Amino acid sequence: MAHQKRQIPNPVEIFDLLKFKKPTLDFKARRLHDAQTIWDLRAIAKRRTPAAAFDYTDGAADEEISMNRARQAFRDVEFHPSILNDVSNVDTTAEIFGGKSSLPFGIAPTGFTRLMQTEGELAGASAAGSAGIPFCLSTLGTTSIEDVQKANPNGRNWFQLYVMKEREISYGLVERAAKAGFDTLLFTVDTPVAGNRLRDARNGFSIPPEISLGTVVNAIPRPWWWWDFLTTPPLEFASLTSTDGTVGELLDSAMDPSIKFEDLKTIREMWPGKLVVKGVQNLPDSKKLADLGVDGIILSNHGGRQLDRAPVPFQLLPEVAREVGNDVDVAMDTGIMNGADIVAAIAKGAKFTLIGRAYLYGLMAGGEAGVNRAIEILASEVRRTMRLLQVSSLDELTPEHVTQLNTLNLNQVNGVPEDEQNLFS
């Protein structure tokens, strides 16, 4: 029997093997540094944000089936790496809607953003500019078009447009975005009315927030959020003359169920930049839009926040990319929580992806620094996944790199922590 020779430990050798973490009093920097995934940022955001604001971001419509299916679709991806390819240098640059992005993802439009964390869209725009990726401002954003341009003066700014019942409000926003130098307009078509967001209804979530005993109890351990909220300028919505009422009521007052293709034509005539239709959910509509000459389409079910049980964009992607990808830029959103999800989407035919919740989790976890961390995490995961697949550029990714396994089953999400399943949480 072999025996290992033993000796008395040498303190010098022990300290050579150990590296102690330097103490820091910058608690925000420490918690963001310790976050290794978007799920980690979500956990921090949940601790630091009142339930109503967190659930507005985290939740979806009705039973939240669409959102969970979208996330499960990415978990069901099987990658097929190549071997013996030089990946010492990896190029993540993407060409999308007539311009470049240093990474194959940008920041999606989100409404009521300053309610999540008071730095709001300014943090997102500034972080996007620093990272060299596009930032998209929502019609229901809480920062003006002009202030976003100031926060990201040299980067790519996009504007997401709802066509509202009062058309002149929408037309005025288009003119302001063009004047501010925004290069792409996202014409949104999946929101004729507000989805049934049960978490918001149960939380009494409204603008301005309703204050109840439950709200006060939930706020007690989060005084920093309330201090920020109460000591910064009040929420304002550029497209709305009144901000009283529940979120659903506000959306219903802003949206118009009579929107049709003639409205798209009108906006096309007004808008000098790239026109992209967001919220496409089937192949026939994709073909029709390509025939109409739009510059791009975004496959999206609005993050599962509108029609529950809607198609999963990632599963719709291959057919749409194959049929119209040579005519228009095809992008997608919904369900992205990891850089590997982004790589899988590019491999399946997307030119680009957009992140919504992932960005907002970072924002709630630490303001602009948190958004920077979210981008950093996703970028690192994109590069690592590409290297492990042994591709050195996005153009080298093909459908052969990805198999979509047929194991989607929302009643049994094997291997996923219960909190990550996010079912009614």
Side-chain angles (χ1 to χ4, degrees):
M1 179 180 291
H3 293 282
Q4 184 65 267
K5 182 180 179 181
R6 296 185 180 277
Q7 64 184 28
I8 297 174
N10 184 329
V12 175
E13 293 177 350
I14 292 175
F15 283 106
D16 285 342
L17 294 173
L18 298 177
K19 183 179 180 181
F20 293 97
K21 184 184 293 187
K22 294 181 179 179
T24 177
L25 296 178
D26 189 338
F27 300 115
K28 179 169 74 172
R30 185 174 66 187
R31 69 172 178 267
L32 293 177
H33 177 269
D34 289 344
Q36 300 300 304
T37 67
I38 298 299
W39 288 109
D40 290 344
L41 290 176
R42 177 185 179 273
I44 297 169
K46 189 172 184 179
R47 291 196 304 268
R48 297 188 59 80
T49 311
F54 177 82
D55 280 348
Y56 174 74
T57 297
D58 196 59
D62 291 303
E63 297 178 67
E64 305 189 349
I65 292 171
S66 289
M67 177 180 69
N68 285 289
R69 282 179 177 171
R71 288 176 174 171
Q72 186 63 34
F74 283 119
R75 293 188 181 108
D76 285 345
V77 160
E78 179 179 83
F79 283 120
H80 305 290
S82 303
I83 62 169
L84 299 177
N85 295 321
D86 183 359
V87 288
S88 53
N89 295 305
V90 171
D91 183 6
T92 60
T93 304
E95 291 273 350
I96 185 66
F97 307 147
K100 289 186 180 295
S101 173
S102 65
L103 295 162
F105 64 90
I107 292 181
T110 60
F112 311 105
T113 310
R114 283 190 53 236
L115 192 64
M116 311 307 113
Q117 203 273 351
T118 53
E119 294 177 35
E121 291 91 353
L122 294 179
S126 179
S130 296
I133 65 175
F135 174 83
C136 188
L137 175 65
S138 169
T139 290
L140 297 177
T142 47
T143 302
S144 72
I145 290 168
E146 293 76 15
D147 284 344
V148 164
Q149 193 280 330
K150 291 176 184 177
N152 187 22
N154 301 311
R156 296 190 66 189
N157 293 314
W158 301 349
F159 187 73
Q160 174 266 337
L161 181 72
Y162 288 124
V163 175
M164 292 173 280
K165 293 174 182 176
E166 295 185 41
R167 293 291 196 268
E168 293 304 319
I169 296 176
S170 297
Y171 300 158
L173 292 171
V174 171
E175 292 170 353
R176 286 171 58 191
K179 184 177 179 180
F182 284 43
D183 64 72
T184 300
L185 188 75
L186 273 55
F187 185 97
T188 300
V189 295
D190 59 7
T191 315
V193 296
N196 186 29
R197 300 172 192 174
L198 297 178
R199 293 205 216 181
D200 295 343
R202 290 166 179 153
N203 285 327
F205 180 63
S206 63
I207 307 294
E210 289 184 357
I211 304 298
S212 65
L213 179 60
T215 306
V216 174
V217 171
N218 185 259
I220 290 173
R222 299 169 178 86
W224 50 81
W225 186 92
W226 285 100
W227 173 256
D228 283 346
F229 182 75
L230 296 172
T231 58
T232 52
L235 292 177
E236 294 180 348
F237 303 91
S239 59
L240 301 174
T241 56
S242 172
T243 58
D244 290 335
T246 67
V247 173
E249 289 169 347
L250 285 171
L251 286 172
D252 282 337
S253 70
M255 305 309 111
D256 186 357
S258 72
I259 183 175
K260 47 191 178 294
F261 276 93
E262 284 77 5
D263 292 300
L264 178 62
K265 180 180 178 182
T266 299
I267 298 300
R268 171 73 286 179
E269 293 170 351
M270 294 180 61
W271 179 250
K274 299 295 183 180
L275 180 63
V276 176
V277 177
K278 181 180 183 292
V280 182
Q281 299 180 70
N282 63 55
L283 180 59
D285 285 340
S286 300
K287 289 182 175 180
K288 184 171 184 177
L289 290 167
D291 291 340
L292 289 173
V294 301
D295 298 297
I297 60 174
I298 298 176
L299 302 177
S300 171
N301 63 29
H302 215 101
R305 298 167 68 80
Q306 288 301 106
L307 175 66
D308 207 10
R309 300 175 178 83
V312 174
F314 181 66
Q315 293 178 330
L316 181 62
L317 173 63
E319 185 179 31
V320 172
R322 183 172 58 251
E323 294 292 328
V324 304
N326 291 329
D327 302 314
V328 297
D329 283 352
V330 178
M332 67 149 289
D333 65 22
T334 305
I336 293 170
M337 291 290 286
N338 190 292
D341 303 339
I342 296 168
V343 172
I346 302 300
K348 281 294 190 179
K351 293 274 288 185
F352 201 67
T353 62
L354 292 170
I355 59 166
R357 288 185 180 90
Y359 138 64
L360 292 176
Y361 293 144
L363 178 68
M364 288 186 285
E368 183 175 345
V371 180
N372 287 332
R373 183 60 178 151
I375 294 171
E376 183 181 58
I377 288 170
L378 291 171
S380 175
E381 291 168 342
V382 166
R383 295 187 182 99
R384 184 184 307 110
T385 304
M386 289 176 65
R387 283 194 165 99
L388 291 172
L389 284 173
Q390 299 200 32
V391 298
S392 58
S393 71
L394 300 177
D395 291 338
E396 294 178 23
L397 290 166
T398 70
E400 285 70 35
H401 284 109
V402 174
T403 295
Q404 176 72 56
L405 302 177
N406 296 316
T407 60
L408 182 62
N409 182 352
L410 292 181
N411 294 319
Q412 184 178 4
V413 188
N414 292 321
V416 180
E418 182 178 352
D419 193 48
E420 291 187 13
Q421 292 181 30
N422 205 27
L423 300 175
F424 309 105
S425 64

